[in-house]
Amino acid sequence: MRQRVAIAIALLHRPELIVADEPTTALDVTIQAQILAEVQKLCAETGTAMIWITHDLSVVAGLADDIAVMYAGRVVEKGEVAPVLDMPLHPYTAGLIGSVPSRNKRGEPLKQIPGMTPNILRLPPGCAFRARCSRATEVCKQEPPFGEVAPGREVRCFHPLFPETKGEAA
Ligand code: SF4
């Protein structure tokens, strides 16, 4: 209830933008769904834009228009929600989506991204995802640029996962 009140207070003065950091974490799924529906309705009514920071891809899929996937403090992929979730181009995004339990068949082990997130205070040179990425090559020791690789799709990667290369993903 306190989280609902906090969201209501945030919307009270009809701000142009709200940044909501994991606002529904620790809520049960039913309450979370109610809050998401309320927030969507209120934002549509007031014209408020919202940046919703979350680890929950189902929330993203149900709520957002656009998604920016972050790794080690930087945006690594950006685009409209449906194309990014349906066809991730960055290996980290693909790993995240691949590790959602419901995508596994019954009896199969859960998929996971190997390795650990690097210490953000001591990031290695080049691509921060390099130690965990099956597509890493020599060039990945350099800083990958962030740019448009397909219409409406921005990625920070030297070897984005276009459909013809999906079989090489982590
Ligand atoms: S830049 Fe290289 S290491 Fe980084 S995600 Fe892309 S392929 Fe992997």
PDB file of all heavy atoms in Angstrom, residues 90-91 127 129-130 133 135-137 140 144 156-159, ligand 1:
ATOM      1  N   HIS A  90      22.091  -7.770 -28.919  1.00  0.00           N
ATOM      2  CA  HIS A  90      23.302  -7.803 -28.084  1.00  0.00           C
ATOM      3  C   HIS A  90      23.379  -9.141 -27.346  1.00  0.00           C
ATOM      4  O   HIS A  90      22.365  -9.640 -26.831  1.00  0.00           O
ATOM      5  CB  HIS A  90      23.274  -6.657 -27.066  1.00  0.00           C
ATOM      6  CG  HIS A  90      24.590  -6.445 -26.394  1.00  0.00           C
ATOM      7  ND1 HIS A  90      25.018  -7.239 -25.353  1.00  0.00           N
ATOM      8  CD2 HIS A  90      25.584  -5.562 -26.640  1.00  0.00           C
ATOM      9  CE1 HIS A  90      26.229  -6.835 -24.968  1.00  0.00           C
ATOM     10  NE2 HIS A  90      26.586  -5.813 -25.740  1.00  0.00           N
ATOM     11  N   PRO A  91      24.567  -9.756 -27.286  1.00  0.00           N
ATOM     12  CA  PRO A  91      24.675 -11.060 -26.615  1.00  0.00           C
ATOM     13  C   PRO A  91      24.192 -11.045 -25.166  1.00  0.00           C
ATOM     14  O   PRO A  91      23.640 -12.045 -24.685  1.00  0.00           O
ATOM     15  CB  PRO A  91      26.177 -11.370 -26.701  1.00  0.00           C
ATOM     16  CG  PRO A  91      26.632 -10.658 -27.931  1.00  0.00           C
ATOM     17  CD  PRO A  91      25.822  -9.382 -27.969  1.00  0.00           C
ATOM     18  N   CYS A 127      35.149  -4.134 -24.229  1.00  0.00           N
ATOM     19  CA  CYS A 127      33.753  -4.454 -23.909  1.00  0.00           C
ATOM     20  C   CYS A 127      33.672  -5.080 -22.510  1.00  0.00           C
ATOM     21  O   CYS A 127      34.362  -6.064 -22.216  1.00  0.00           O
ATOM     22  CB  CYS A 127      33.198  -5.429 -24.943  1.00  0.00           C
ATOM     23  SG  CYS A 127      31.523  -5.958 -24.549  1.00  0.00           S
ATOM     24  N   PHE A 129      31.451  -6.873 -21.312  1.00  0.00           N
ATOM     25  CA  PHE A 129      30.817  -8.198 -21.316  1.00  0.00           C
ATOM     26  C   PHE A 129      31.746  -9.265 -21.883  1.00  0.00           C
ATOM     27  O   PHE A 129      31.401 -10.438 -21.941  1.00  0.00           O
ATOM     28  CB  PHE A 129      29.522  -8.117 -22.149  1.00  0.00           C
ATOM     29  CG  PHE A 129      28.636  -9.321 -22.039  1.00  0.00           C
ATOM     30  CD1 PHE A 129      28.143  -9.751 -20.821  1.00  0.00           C
ATOM     31  CD2 PHE A 129      28.281 -10.036 -23.170  1.00  0.00           C
ATOM     32  CE1 PHE A 129      27.336 -10.870 -20.719  1.00  0.00           C
ATOM     33  CE2 PHE A 129      27.463 -11.154 -23.085  1.00  0.00           C
ATOM     34  CZ  PHE A 129      26.997 -11.568 -21.855  1.00  0.00           C
ATOM     35  N   ARG A 130      32.954  -8.853 -22.265  1.00  0.00           N
ATOM     36  CA  ARG A 130      33.846  -9.726 -23.038  1.00  0.00           C
ATOM     37  C   ARG A 130      34.123 -11.068 -22.359  1.00  0.00           C
ATOM     38  O   ARG A 130      34.092 -12.120 -23.007  1.00  0.00           O
ATOM     39  CB  ARG A 130      35.171  -8.979 -23.276  1.00  0.00           C
ATOM     40  CG  ARG A 130      36.202  -9.721 -24.082  1.00  0.00           C
ATOM     41  CD  ARG A 130      37.203  -8.749 -24.654  1.00  0.00           C
ATOM     42  NE  ARG A 130      37.741  -7.840 -23.661  1.00  0.00           N
ATOM     43  CZ  ARG A 130      38.898  -8.014 -23.033  1.00  0.00           C
ATOM     44  NH1 ARG A 130      39.617  -9.067 -23.291  1.00  0.00           N
ATOM     45  NH2 ARG A 130      39.308  -7.128 -22.159  1.00  0.00           N
ATOM     46  N   CYS A 133      31.215 -13.538 -22.911  1.00  0.00           N
ATOM     47  CA  CYS A 133      30.564 -13.556 -24.222  1.00  0.00           C
ATOM     48  C   CYS A 133      31.192 -14.599 -25.142  1.00  0.00           C
ATOM     49  O   CYS A 133      32.411 -14.587 -25.362  1.00  0.00           O
ATOM     50  CB  CYS A 133      30.689 -12.165 -24.844  1.00  0.00           C
ATOM     51  SG  CYS A 133      29.899 -12.047 -26.452  1.00  0.00           S
ATOM     52  N   ARG A 135      30.880 -14.717 -28.243  1.00  0.00           N
ATOM     53  CA  ARG A 135      31.163 -14.122 -29.550  1.00  0.00           C
ATOM     54  C   ARG A 135      32.380 -13.196 -29.505  1.00  0.00           C
ATOM     55  O   ARG A 135      32.706 -12.564 -30.509  1.00  0.00           O
ATOM     56  CB  ARG A 135      29.936 -13.336 -30.030  1.00  0.00           C
ATOM     57  CG  ARG A 135      28.728 -14.221 -30.249  1.00  0.00           C
ATOM     58  CD  ARG A 135      27.492 -13.421 -30.547  1.00  0.00           C
ATOM     59  NE  ARG A 135      27.555 -12.699 -31.796  1.00  0.00           N
ATOM     60  CZ  ARG A 135      27.405 -13.249 -32.985  1.00  0.00           C
ATOM     61  NH1 ARG A 135      27.181 -14.535 -33.083  1.00  0.00           N
ATOM     62  NH2 ARG A 135      27.472 -12.526 -34.072  1.00  0.00           N
ATOM     63  N   ALA A 136      33.027 -13.123 -28.338  1.00  0.00           N
ATOM     64  CA  ALA A 136      34.152 -12.189 -28.192  1.00  0.00           C
ATOM     65  C   ALA A 136      35.310 -12.554 -29.122  1.00  0.00           C
ATOM     66  O   ALA A 136      35.629 -13.736 -29.311  1.00  0.00           O
ATOM     67  CB  ALA A 136      34.627 -12.188 -26.745  1.00  0.00           C
ATOM     68  N   THR A 137      35.893 -11.532 -29.721  1.00  0.00           N
ATOM     69  CA  THR A 137      37.084 -11.707 -30.550  1.00  0.00           C
ATOM     70  C   THR A 137      38.104 -10.645 -30.129  1.00  0.00           C
ATOM     71  O   THR A 137      37.842  -9.851 -29.221  1.00  0.00           O
ATOM     72  CB  THR A 137      36.756 -11.521 -32.049  1.00  0.00           C
ATOM     73  OG1 THR A 137      36.271 -10.190 -32.238  1.00  0.00           O
ATOM     74  CG2 THR A 137      35.725 -12.518 -32.543  1.00  0.00           C
ATOM     75  N   CYS A 140      37.125  -7.042 -29.581  1.00  0.00           N
ATOM     76  CA  CYS A 140      36.318  -6.716 -28.401  1.00  0.00           C
ATOM     77  C   CYS A 140      37.177  -6.209 -27.240  1.00  0.00           C
ATOM     78  O   CYS A 140      36.650  -5.779 -26.211  1.00  0.00           O
ATOM     79  CB  CYS A 140      35.494  -7.921 -27.972  1.00  0.00           C
ATOM     80  SG  CYS A 140      34.457  -8.569 -29.299  1.00  0.00           S
ATOM     81  N   PRO A 144      33.540  -1.049 -27.699  1.00  0.00           N
ATOM     82  CA  PRO A 144      32.599  -1.100 -28.824  1.00  0.00           C
ATOM     83  C   PRO A 144      31.793   0.200 -28.908  1.00  0.00           C
ATOM     84  O   PRO A 144      31.392   0.743 -27.882  1.00  0.00           O
ATOM     85  CB  PRO A 144      31.694  -2.289 -28.497  1.00  0.00           C
ATOM     86  CG  PRO A 144      31.855  -2.542 -27.055  1.00  0.00           C
ATOM     87  CD  PRO A 144      33.165  -1.977 -26.617  1.00  0.00           C
ATOM     88  N   ARG A 156      25.559  -1.722 -28.555  1.00  0.00           N
ATOM     89  CA  ARG A 156      26.974  -1.496 -28.260  1.00  0.00           C
ATOM     90  C   ARG A 156      27.698  -2.845 -28.394  1.00  0.00           C
ATOM     91  O   ARG A 156      27.878  -3.584 -27.431  1.00  0.00           O
ATOM     92  CB  ARG A 156      27.132  -0.970 -26.833  1.00  0.00           C
ATOM     93  CG  ARG A 156      28.532  -0.486 -26.473  1.00  0.00           C
ATOM     94  CD  ARG A 156      28.605  -0.110 -24.993  1.00  0.00           C
ATOM     95  NE  ARG A 156      27.655   0.916 -24.618  1.00  0.00           N
ATOM     96  CZ  ARG A 156      27.818   2.217 -24.847  1.00  0.00           C
ATOM     97  NH1 ARG A 156      28.919   2.654 -25.395  1.00  0.00           N
ATOM     98  NH2 ARG A 156      26.891   3.078 -24.483  1.00  0.00           N
ATOM     99  N   CYS A 157      28.035  -3.208 -29.621  1.00  0.00           N
ATOM    100  CA  CYS A 157      28.639  -4.525 -29.844  1.00  0.00           C
ATOM    101  C   CYS A 157      29.310  -4.574 -31.208  1.00  0.00           C
ATOM    102  O   CYS A 157      28.785  -4.027 -32.170  1.00  0.00           O
ATOM    103  CB  CYS A 157      27.557  -5.599 -29.755  1.00  0.00           C
ATOM    104  SG  CYS A 157      28.173  -7.264 -29.999  1.00  0.00           S
ATOM    105  N   PHE A 158      30.451  -5.255 -31.265  1.00  0.00           N
ATOM    106  CA  PHE A 158      31.128  -5.438 -32.553  1.00  0.00           C
ATOM    107  C   PHE A 158      30.484  -6.549 -33.385  1.00  0.00           C
ATOM    108  O   PHE A 158      30.649  -6.588 -34.593  1.00  0.00           O
ATOM    109  CB  PHE A 158      32.604  -5.790 -32.335  1.00  0.00           C
ATOM    110  CG  PHE A 158      33.427  -4.618 -31.892  1.00  0.00           C
ATOM    111  CD1 PHE A 158      33.999  -4.598 -30.621  1.00  0.00           C
ATOM    112  CD2 PHE A 158      33.650  -3.530 -32.727  1.00  0.00           C
ATOM    113  CE1 PHE A 158      34.764  -3.525 -30.207  1.00  0.00           C
ATOM    114  CE2 PHE A 158      34.419  -2.452 -32.323  1.00  0.00           C
ATOM    115  CZ  PHE A 158      34.976  -2.448 -31.058  1.00  0.00           C
ATOM    116  N   HIS A 159      29.804  -7.484 -32.717  1.00  0.00           N
ATOM    117  CA  HIS A 159      29.245  -8.644 -33.434  1.00  0.00           C
ATOM    118  C   HIS A 159      27.788  -8.876 -33.039  1.00  0.00           C
ATOM    119  O   HIS A 159      27.460  -9.869 -32.375  1.00  0.00           O
ATOM    120  CB  HIS A 159      30.054  -9.903 -33.101  1.00  0.00           C
ATOM    121  CG  HIS A 159      31.522  -9.752 -33.281  1.00  0.00           C
ATOM    122  ND1 HIS A 159      32.094  -9.458 -34.497  1.00  0.00           N
ATOM    123  CD2 HIS A 159      32.540  -9.843 -32.386  1.00  0.00           C
ATOM    124  CE1 HIS A 159      33.411  -9.370 -34.352  1.00  0.00           C
ATOM    125  NE2 HIS A 159      33.708  -9.601 -33.083  1.00  0.00           N
TER     126      HIS A 159
HETATM  127  S1  SF4 B   1      31.536  -6.372 -28.292  1.00  0.00           S
HETATM  128 FE1  SF4 B   1      32.380  -8.449 -28.432  1.00  0.00          FE
HETATM  129  S2  SF4 B   1      32.532  -9.171 -26.305  1.00  0.00           S
HETATM  130 FE2  SF4 B   1      31.167  -7.374 -26.336  1.00  0.00          FE
HETATM  131  S3  SF4 B   1      29.137  -8.231 -26.480  1.00  0.00           S
HETATM  132 FE3  SF4 B   1      29.803  -7.762 -28.561  1.00  0.00          FE
HETATM  133  S4  SF4 B   1      30.737  -9.679 -29.294  1.00  0.00           S
HETATM  134 FE4  SF4 B   1      30.563  -9.851 -27.077  1.00  0.00          FE
END
